[in-house]
Amino acid sequence: MPERPGSPTAEARRDELAERLFGSINATFDLAAVYIGDRLGLFRALAETGPSTSVELAAGTGLVERYVREWLEHGAVIGFLLADEAEDALARRYRLPEGHEEVFLDELSLAYTTPMIRAVAAAMRRLPEIMDVFAEGGGVPWSDYGPDLREGQAAGNRPQFHHLLGTDWLPAITDVHERLMVDPPARIADLGCGAGWSTIAIARAYPKARVDGIDLDDPAIAQARRNLEGSGVADRVAFHARDAAEPALRGAFDLVTIFEAVHDMSQPVAVLRAARELLAPGGTLLVVDERVAERFTAPGDDIERLMYGFSLLVCLTNAMAEEPSVGTGTVMRPETMRRYALDAGFREMTILPIEHPIFRFYRLDP
Ligand SMILES: C[S@@+](CC[C@H](N)C(=O)[O-])C[C@H]1O[C@@H](n2cnc3c(N)ncnc32)[C@H](O)[C@@H]1O
């Protein structure tokens, strides 16, 4: 590509890139420190006991004081924690600044960010296998990423479902909302439901409705069943460990939903076709997937960067683990979704005018 007049010199670009990577290295260490603080219960202990020395925090968590002290000092240096003025390192007290507790610990807050960091840690741990599939083909199954990815994904989306799904997203689709409110009780199938937080949120929002959550990942369904306990909707929700593409799946569902899962599927058209079969006359399929740009643009914005990052390390490798696979990846553009919808026999796909920084909402009518 020809250089434009006035474009930066090679030296300026070199310096800019080196500086940017230096920042990325520090940002990576920030994430590692959050991961440690989350998984070892250090944030929780600090929040519960208030300002603490390394000796007190180590005693309270059963961890080794020298490591706890390094974590505290690092946390204060990067501004995640506050430290008092004590010169003596062992006497210095640390606490969470107001506001940070919500980001690190509040499971229902829309600002809760630690789960996504768990997912990033799970992805980084699989780098050797990811490089192998670059050379040999195939993929890295979702299950190989372990609990950090499964639980990180579920906990990351939980606040969105808890606060927005039943009070904002579904009510915005007026005809669907009205159907879910009335008799005879509506039936809903939530495909690729993971740990079931979306399934449970729908049942909570619509007290007459019966909701089935379906996912092919056995541990996710086991977790979904645990999440259902004590939710108050266990009598109207059932979870099933099975492939959503199975033609055996039959029903008369007024609504079928798929949250953040179409791009992960090796055969999305087969699943969409099965979803279409599940719909009762007048029923609707709602697909919620990433709000990526309409077309490839480089350089891209922060959402595009995030989605390509997850695609490279998780979603594409996961989708390619089953063969054959169409290999969608996280960056599923609206035109790709439209093609899948039409190939699956849907008459129409509409992008719904629901605002969300990360998700785009697709309505598919048979
Ligand atoms: C990124 S997770 C999303 C989980 C959940 N919907 C959420 O938003 O937290 C994608 C899920 O799709 C599931 N999945 C992928 N292909 C599937 C298929 N053919 N049938 C059922 N579930 C599938 C995976 O097991 C995984 O739990």
Side-chain angles (χ1 to χ4, degrees), residues 334-357:
E335 270 322 300
T336 306
M337 183 60 219
R338 186 180 303 281
R339 179 160 46 80
Y340 290 166
L342 297 180
D343 288 353
F346 284 91
R347 179 176 44 86
E348 201 175 351
M349 185 200 87
T350 320
I351 296 177
L352 297 168
I354 300 173
E355 296 292 325
H356 192 276

Side-chain angles (χ1 to χ4, degrees), residues 73-85:
E73 289 181 5
H74 175 257
V77 164
I78 64 176
F80 288 2
L81 307 176
L82 287 177
D84 71 18
E85 307 277 291

Side-chain angles (χ1 to χ4, degrees), residues 5 22 38 48 51 82 108 113 119 138-139 154 171 175 177 180 221 232 235 261 286 297-298 313 319 336 338-339 344:
F22 186 77
D38 175 47
E48 282 172 3
L82 287 177
L108 289 181
T113 312
D175 58 327
H177 173 67
L180 300 189
I221 289 296
D235 55 329
L286 172 68
T297 314
L313 298 189
T336 306
R338 186 180 303 281
R339 179 160 46 80

Side-chain angles (χ1 to χ4, degrees), residues 19-354:
E19 202 174 310
R20 173 175 161 178
L21 290 177
F22 186 77
S24 302
I25 291 164
N26 269 335
T28 307
F29 287 132
D30 292 355
L31 297 191
V34 174
Y35 184 86
I36 291 170
D38 175 47
R39 302 317 297 154
L40 293 180
L42 291 160
F43 288 128
R44 175 76 56 204
L46 266 186
E48 282 172 3
T49 53
S52 310
T53 65
S54 58
V55 178
E56 290 162 350
L57 192 60
T61 52
L63 298 169
V64 176
E65 187 279 331
R66 180 66 192 92
Y67 289 117
V68 171
R69 194 188 334 145
E70 206 71 357
W71 180 82
L72 285 166
E73 289 181 5
H74 175 257
V77 164
I78 64 176
F80 288 2
L81 307 176
L82 287 177
D84 71 18
E85 307 277 291
E87 277 299 320
D88 177 359
L90 291 174
R92 195 176 298 132
R93 288 188 178 278
Y94 300 83
R95 65 181 170 85
L96 282 166
E98 255 175 65
H100 285 199
E101 188 175 330
E102 193 175 326
V103 176
F104 293 137
L105 289 166
D106 187 344
E107 293 177 358
L108 289 181
S109 168
L110 290 166
Y112 185 43
T113 312
T114 32
M116 212 194 283
I117 296 170
R118 281 189 79 185
V120 172
M124 299 292 256
R125 219 178 274 134
R126 295 274 77 83
L127 278 173
E129 293 92 321
I130 292 166
M131 288 189 289
D132 285 348
V133 299
F134 265 72
E136 295 156 13
V140 184
W142 178 258
S143 52
D144 284 12
Y145 288 89
D148 274 336
L149 181 59
R150 186 184 306 109
E151 292 170 17
Q153 159 77 33
N157 277 352
R158 182 183 177 191
Q160 310 289 326
F161 297 143
H162 182 83
H163 291 290
L164 302 172
L165 175 51
T167 48
D168 192 348
W169 302 345
L170 290 176
I173 319 170
T174 324
D175 58 327
V176 170
H177 173 67
E178 280 165 7
R179 173 64 194 97
L180 300 189
M181 304 277 277
V182 298
D183 282 318
R187 287 193 68 195
I188 299 146
D190 185 18
L191 309 185
C193 66
W197 291 122
S198 49
T199 325
I200 292 169
I202 296 172
R204 280 215 177 106
Y206 297 99
K208 288 178 191 282
R210 307 192 69 82
V211 198
D212 289 273
I214 293 154
D215 200 291
L216 48 67
D217 185 38
D218 289 327
I221 289 296
Q223 183 63 52
R225 290 184 178 134
R226 285 194 294 278
N227 293 339
L228 185 60
E229 286 165 21
S231 66
V233 293
D235 55 329
R236 293 182 291 112
V237 171
F239 288 109
H240 316 273
R242 60 201 298 180
D243 188 333
E246 271 177 33
L249 218 54
R250 283 276 179 277
F253 291 88
D254 303 284
L255 174 67
V256 175
T257 55
I258 311 180
F259 295 99
E260 261 204 327
V262 167
H263 70 257
D264 286 301
M265 293 170 174
S266 54
Q267 294 295 322
V269 173
V271 174
L272 294 176
R273 202 174 284 132
R276 189 171 171 276
E277 291 292 310
L278 289 177
L279 291 174
T284 294
L285 170 61
L286 172 68
V287 171
V288 178
D289 220 286
E290 318 301 356
R291 188 179 281 275
V292 293
E294 304 252 332
R295 55 189 63 80
F296 177 79
T297 314
D301 63 15
D302 282 347
I303 297 295
E304 206 77 348
R305 281 177 70 181
L306 182 76
M307 298 311 172
Y308 268 109
F310 271 119
S311 199
L312 192 60
L313 298 189
V314 180
C315 300
L316 183 57
T317 48
N318 158 39
M320 302 252 298
E322 268 181 44
E323 287 177 8
S325 169
V326 294
T328 308
T330 324
V331 187
M332 182 176 72
R333 308 224 182 261
E335 270 322 300
T336 306
M337 183 60 219
R338 186 180 303 281
R339 179 160 46 80
Y340 290 166
L342 297 180
D343 288 353
F346 284 91
R347 179 176 44 86
E348 201 175 351
M349 185 200 87
T350 320
I351 296 177
L352 297 168
I354 300 173

